Amino acid sequence: MILASPFFDPSTQDLNARLTPNSQFAPLAGTPSSDYVYTNGDLYTGEPGPGTTNNFPGGGSYDDLYNSYNDQYYFTLCGPGAADVTLFDWPWPPNDANYSYVFDSMIPSLPNSSWNGTDVDGTTRTRGYMVHLAFQIQPPTWSRAGMLPQTAYQTGYNGGATLQTVQDALNWEASGENSSNWSSYFYTTVWNSSYYNSNPRIYPANLYNALHSDVVTDISVSHVPVIVEIDASNQYLPNWPNNGSTLVKHFVAIVGYDDNQGTYTYIDTCKQFTNCNGAGQDQPDLHVATQSQLEQGVALIGTNMSQGDGGWVW
């Protein structure tokens, strides 16, 4: 897909609106020009590897009970990982160091793995809760337990979570697993297709503006992150290697914005030491991208609702 200019077209906005320095957006009324979610330790959150690569910086392919395992589905945990990061900023979900005893049942013939909030190397990566989200939670409308098994049941695709399962998991957990009000508790999905327009003076500037508005609102008003599905390459996520023309669908949590600098700050739970990507860090793991590059990476994923692709959850 060839996108129009990533810069905001002022013809679609009030020409009298005062743009913040280095940003293509007019400030939202009553919100600061920059803000960040208090992360409360989630800078260390990292996905476990599949058991065939290191799980810890410096080595070690075992789980938190020193058991060996082999499960390539662990390379598809970016959706549960982004949800884990996001739920840190909600009061109820138990994804701190005391949450543990989680077992993978995606492939019954393979060895299970066990993860705690704090790993055996003493770092709190909240992997227990992440794998719990991936394989064990079950909101009332789901036919399968776990974000990944439910995704495979709904779509027939085993390549990772969908935007719908991300939304459901966030609402179920943020509501305190309240069966009476969970489904519409807070989060909703925005599909890229709702902004498509053949007029280059409108699209993709309208999509970029909508994403920016949702990020600013969630972070500065509700004080919680936004999850985006994005093409993971260093053109759009600076902590990833250049994948050329290969589209890599990935989830990250946006935890900050700065309209003075024209940037978004995000957390990526995919780590270099597990061989999940070629440039990720362990700790700290706050990354900064320009607003235009991150917005382009989101817009590049075409909407396919049956596969759960193309949009963001806010």
Side-chain angles (χ1 to χ4, degrees):
M1 180 187 301
I2 299 176
L3 298 179
S5 169
F7 297 103
F8 192 76
D9 183 349
S11 68
T12 65
Q13 286 284 294
D14 179 1
L15 293 178
N16 294 319
R18 182 181 179 84
L19 298 179
T20 52
N22 301 314
S23 174
Q24 69 263 40
F25 302 111
L28 298 183
T31 61
S33 60
S34 64
D35 204 357
Y36 300 85
V37 174
Y38 175 61
T39 53
N40 195 30
D42 54 1
L43 303 187
Y44 303 91
T45 301
E47 302 163 33
T52 55
T53 63
N54 290 335
N55 276 319
F56 314 97
S61 59
Y62 40 78
D63 66 8
D64 282 336
L65 293 180
Y66 294 98
N67 293 324
S68 298
Y69 68 96
N70 185 336
D71 190 341
Q72 295 303 305
Y73 281 109
Y74 274 45
F75 268 151
T76 67
L77 285 181
C78 62
D84 191 2
V85 167
T86 300
L87 288 165
F88 238 116
D89 295 290
W90 287 90
W92 181 82
N95 59 351
D96 59 20
N98 296 320
Y99 196 92
S100 60
Y101 66 74
V102 177
F103 299 91
D104 168 8
S105 59
M106 189 74 166
I107 310 177
S109 63
L110 294 179
N112 288 331
S113 63
S114 299
W115 300 98
N116 299 317
T118 298
D119 289 331
V120 292
D121 65 349
T123 300
T124 301
R125 298 189 183 90
T126 67
R127 286 170 164 174
Y129 188 64
M130 187 188 307
V131 180
H132 174 68
L133 292 171
F135 300 109
Q136 289 192 328
I137 68 164
Q138 189 166 8
T141 60
W142 286 11
S143 299
R144 299 288 187 277
M147 294 174 69
L148 299 188
Q150 174 65 13
T151 290
Y153 171 78
Q154 288 181 323
T155 68
Y157 175 64
N158 295 322
T162 64
L163 286 163
Q164 295 99 318
T165 53
V166 169
Q167 173 190 305
D168 283 353
L170 293 180
N171 282 335
W172 178 240
E173 295 297 282
S175 72
E177 299 185 353
N178 188 323
S179 59
S180 65
N181 70 346
W182 73 274
S183 63
S184 59
Y185 186 75
F186 181 86
Y187 281 98
T188 188
T189 299
V190 177
W191 300 100
N192 289 343
S193 59
S194 62
Y195 295 98
Y196 290 165
N197 193 296
S198 60
N199 186 344
R201 292 175 65 84
I202 297 174
Y203 176 82
N206 57 344
L207 187 154
Y208 298 168
N209 188 60
L211 175 58
H212 177 263
S213 176
D214 290 348
V215 168
V216 171
T217 299
D218 269 13
I219 290 175
S220 69
V221 178
S222 300
H223 309 294
V224 293
V226 172
I227 293 179
V228 297
E229 186 182 25
I230 188 169
D231 176 16
S233 77
N234 71 350
Q235 298 178 72
Y236 310 112
L237 291 180
N239 64 304
W240 274 70
N242 193 336
N243 296 301
S245 60
T246 301
L247 178 68
V248 180
K249 298 173 184 177
H250 189 52
F251 289 103
V252 297
I254 300 178
V255 297
Y257 69 92
D258 189 335
D259 289 341
N260 298 310
Q261 299 298 319
T263 60
Y264 292 125
T265 299
Y266 65 94
I267 292 177
D268 187 348
T269 59
C270 191
K271 302 300 180 184
Q272 181 182 25
F273 59 83
T274 65
N275 202 33
C276 185
N277 67 47
Q281 299 170 262
D282 178 27
Q283 51 188 351
D285 206 13
L286 284 173
H287 302 288
V288 177
T290 68
Q291 291 174 344
S292 60
Q293 71 182 131
L294 190 145
E295 290 151 7
Q296 287 181 77
V298 172
L300 273 172
I301 300 180
T303 293
N304 184 330
M305 294 185 188
S306 65
Q307 292 293 324
D309 288 321
W312 63 91
V313 179
W314 77 293

